[in-house]
Amino acid sequence: MCGILAVFGCIDNSQAKRSRIIELSRRLRHRGPDWSGLHCHGDCYLAHQRLAIVDPTSGDQPLYNEDKTVVVTVNGEIYNHKQLREQLKNHQFRTGSDCEVIAHLYEEHGEEFVDMLDGMFSFVLLDTRDKSFIAARDAIGVTPLYMGWGLDGSIWFASEMKALSDDCERFISFPPGHIYSSKQGGLRRWYNPPCYSEQIPSNPYDPLVLRKAFEKAVVKRLMTDVPFGVLLSGGLDSSLVAAVASRYLADSEAACQWGSQLHSFCIGLEGSPDLKAAREVADYLGTRHHEFHFTVQEGIDALEEVIYHIETYDVTTIRASTPMFLMSRKIKSLGVKMVISGEGSDEIFGGYLYFHKAPNKEEFHQETCRKIKALHLYDCLRANKSTSAWGVEARVPFLDKEFINTAMSIDPEWKMVRPDLGRIEKWILRNAFDDDKQPYLPKHILYRQKEQFSDGVGYSWIDGLRDHANKQVLIF
């Protein structure tokens, strides 16, 4: 997970300004400790802090087209880059980076290429021929991006707010699924899936179609040239990610470099529900399991640093980010740079317990759409920034664009909790992987009830936070 910073239209384009851009870019160094890059063109600056996951040897950024008239800095992964390269055979590629296709797609298609990308990404692209630029963010907002306006009229883009806060009079979270064009002078939506419309989907539920869509989403995220693993809490979502990754790892290119045994990671307080369940799943799947422990005091001691990195005061996000932040530090110490995680399932399938109260399928569907649209402010933010704080990249197959289109096209009647029919929350997902002949998971794990991550790591974590807050804040 990389860090990007781009500035356009600075009145001052002196050496001092260049030094200031470098200084601000260093605030993102934790996101990409492997390389720092900077491209200057008049009053335009594109800076990059790289975390090398694909093509570590030659994929340093910024990236260029053949004659270096198009410059791009990217945070993310483009999973279909090999297929896109096949469509760009008349172009000469400089690197093996998955992100280089963006520069050549722009040459070939202009600004209307973003929907061709399959992946998680935020990028800023400069066309030096007319000094026009575009910025775009992936469909769901898995990768962070912020947009700001400087006091001198300049326009700024950055992966985190801390690179903008001192030099911009205002800034916003760049909306997911949007593109900004300097030529057209504003933001426009490039991602317009059917599920965002008012119409309620009506496709019948086919468990095999859903299963294959998720397996495809996981397999494409095995694209890596560095050591990796899966985050395994022992809940349904992370266990399914681990089960599918473990099943298909041996046939992947990654296995040729790093072996066919999957590494799994879990964190919790001593005796927590997640630790026990994760250990059982890891034993069942045969993963190389790494179990980390933390204390309530260690979590409290990390709070200030956690808030600095995740850049939010949202209570639920902070309490869930803290164990993930501590776990990412341990993961990085083992030399692992990429993990696959289970975020997004509850939003797509209505997995939170309050979905039991949905009065009808229309309101159920509308609420899932609302939750998906807000993911970039909560779970995506947590997963990305908690791991990026230590230079680890988190990939989220449940938020794969194709998988979302498949899952959100199903008649929401199938997603509703129906005790009279034996359907608990996320029944259609559980049922899709309920295979007696080639089981993915033990039955009781497959049908384990939802636990919030901040609960699953140990119930005393929330109690400890509450006690700490009461000691710090006086209520009159």
Side-chain angles (χ1 to χ4, degrees):
M1 203 44 64
C2 306
I4 62 176
L5 173 64
V7 189
F8 301 98
C10 297
I11 294 175
D12 174 17
N13 60 352
S14 64
Q15 181 62 38
K17 189 65 176 183
R18 177 191 175 99
S19 298
R20 177 60 176 164
I21 298 299
I22 292 173
E23 177 189 346
L24 293 172
S25 179
R26 285 177 181 152
R27 295 184 182 180
L28 307 176
R29 180 69 56 83
H30 54 275
R31 298 185 63 86
D34 297 330
W35 178 258
S36 299
L38 176 67
H39 179 93
C40 305
H41 180 80
D43 58 357
C44 305
Y45 303 84
L46 283 82
H48 190 265
Q49 300 290 341
R50 187 185 184 206
L51 179 67
I53 303 293
V54 175
D55 187 27
T57 56
S58 69
D60 296 332
Q61 296 194 34
L63 297 162
Y64 304 89
N65 65 338
E66 290 90 337
D67 60 6
K68 291 196 171 185
T69 56
V70 176
V71 191
V72 63
T73 179
V74 190
N75 170 29
E77 305 290 344
I78 309 302
Y79 300 121
N80 64 334
H81 74 104
K82 289 184 178 178
Q83 298 92 305
L84 292 172
R85 281 174 183 252
E86 287 296 310
Q87 302 172 27
L88 297 164
K89 285 187 174 179
N90 57 324
H91 290 258
Q92 182 180 351
F93 283 77
R94 296 172 174 271
T95 74
S97 169
D98 54 298
C99 296
E100 190 183 340
V101 293
I102 293 174
H104 301 290
L105 286 171
Y106 173 81
E107 275 194 296
E108 196 75 21
H109 302 283
E111 296 180 356
E112 307 304 320
F113 72 88
V114 184
D115 198 27
M116 299 171 67
L117 302 174
D118 180 8
M120 56 176 187
F121 55 83
S122 301
F123 71 81
V124 182
L125 180 149
L126 169 66
D127 188 337
T128 62
R129 293 168 292 193
D130 58 6
K131 287 183 69 175
S132 64
F133 59 91
I134 60 173
R137 191 176 184 187
D138 66 63
I140 305 300
V142 177
T143 62
L145 186 64
Y146 298 89
M147 180 179 182
W149 290 266
L151 290 167
D152 60 356
S154 54
I155 298 179
W156 297 58
F157 302 92
S159 295
E160 295 184 4
M161 288 185 277
K162 57 181 64 68
L164 304 180
S165 56
D166 292 345
D167 292 71
C168 293
E169 58 178 340
R170 68 184 181 95
F171 49 87
I172 62 169
S173 176
F174 195 100
H178 280 71
I179 180 173
Y180 177 89
S181 166
S182 65
K183 289 180 180 178
Q184 300 192 25
L187 288 157
R188 68 180 186 275
R189 177 172 282 282
W190 65 262
Y191 179 60
N192 293 288
C195 65
Y196 278 19
S197 68
E198 294 297 318
Q199 189 172 355
I200 306 300
S202 58
N203 283 4
Y205 166 54
D206 186 329
L208 287 180
V209 168
L210 187 64
R211 183 200 296 182
K212 288 177 181 177
F214 184 66
E215 288 181 326
K216 184 179 179 182
V218 173
V219 168
K220 70 176 69 170
R221 281 159 180 79
L222 298 177
M223 179 187 81
T224 178
D225 293 325
V226 298
F228 73 100
V230 295
L231 303 185
L232 179 59
S233 70
L236 172 68
D237 306 326
S238 66
S239 297
L240 283 178
V241 170
V244 174
S246 182
R247 183 167 293 200
Y248 288 95
L249 178 57
D251 297 326
S252 70
E253 292 182 13
C256 298
Q257 285 183 284
W258 310 112
S260 57
Q261 186 180 32
L262 186 67
H263 287 251
S264 57
F265 307 95
C266 184
I267 192 168
L269 304 175
E270 287 282 357
S272 69
D274 278 1
L275 291 178
K276 181 175 180 293
R279 200 178 306 124
E280 182 179 357
V281 174
D283 289 343
Y284 182 83
L285 297 176
T287 68
R288 176 72 175 86
H289 192 54
H290 307 267
E291 186 177 286
F292 307 123
H293 302 103
F294 77 106
T295 65
V296 172
Q297 188 59 53
E298 286 172 335
I300 290 171
D301 291 343
L303 282 177
E304 186 175 339
E305 199 174 357
V306 168
I307 293 169
Y308 171 81
H309 280 288
I310 66 174
E311 301 183 315
T312 181
Y313 287 115
D314 178 70
V315 173
T316 304
T317 303
I318 293 169
R319 76 186 192 196
S321 294
T322 304
M324 199 167 192
F325 173 86
L326 295 171
M327 176 169 57
S328 298
R329 185 177 192 174
K330 295 283 191 180
I331 290 171
K332 185 59 180 288
S333 72
L334 294 174
V336 172
K337 297 174 72 173
M338 185 272 281
V339 292
I340 309 177
S341 189
E343 276 74 21
S345 172
D346 291 311
E347 286 74 15
I348 295 169
F349 295 104
Y352 297 107
L353 296 183
Y354 77 90
F355 275 90
H356 286 236
K357 299 179 180 179
N360 52 58
K361 70 177 186 179
E362 289 79 14
E363 292 191 42
F364 189 105
H365 178 72
Q366 288 165 5
E367 180 64 4
T368 57
C369 290
R370 186 188 72 82
K371 297 288 283 185
I372 291 170
K373 290 177 182 178
L375 268 167
H376 69 289
L377 300 173
Y378 302 105
D379 283 22
C380 287
L381 181 151
R382 167 181 55 78
N384 181 279
K385 292 184 178 179
S386 297
T387 54
S388 293
W390 299 105
V392 175
E393 176 178 283
R395 297 181 179 177
V396 284
F398 279 107
L399 298 181
D400 180 84
K401 192 167 60 170
E402 280 185 68
F403 179 72
I404 289 177
N405 289 343
T406 298
M408 292 301 289
S409 68
I410 299 170
D411 188 331
E413 181 67 41
W414 288 96
K415 297 181 181 180
M416 293 188 68
V417 179
R418 292 287 303 274
D420 56 319
L421 298 176
R423 295 183 193 167
I424 61 173
E425 70 276 358
K426 295 191 287 191
W427 176 85
I428 66 169
L429 179 63
R430 301 174 196 271
N431 181 67
F433 285 90
D434 195 348
D435 188 335
D436 289 329
K437 293 181 179 178
Q438 291 183 302
Y440 286 77
L441 294 167
K443 289 274 189 183
H444 64 281
I445 294 290
L446 193 60
Y447 289 93
R448 184 187 177 197
Q449 190 182 52
K450 165 72 181 171
E451 291 261 23
Q452 291 189 73
F453 180 56
S454 50
D455 288 339
V457 297
Y459 298 113
S460 58
W461 167 232
I462 293 178
D463 294 337
L465 278 177
R466 188 181 295 113
D467 292 342
H468 175 70
N470 289 336
K471 292 175 184 176
Q472 304 302 313
V473 181
L474 294 177
I475 301 176
F476 297 98

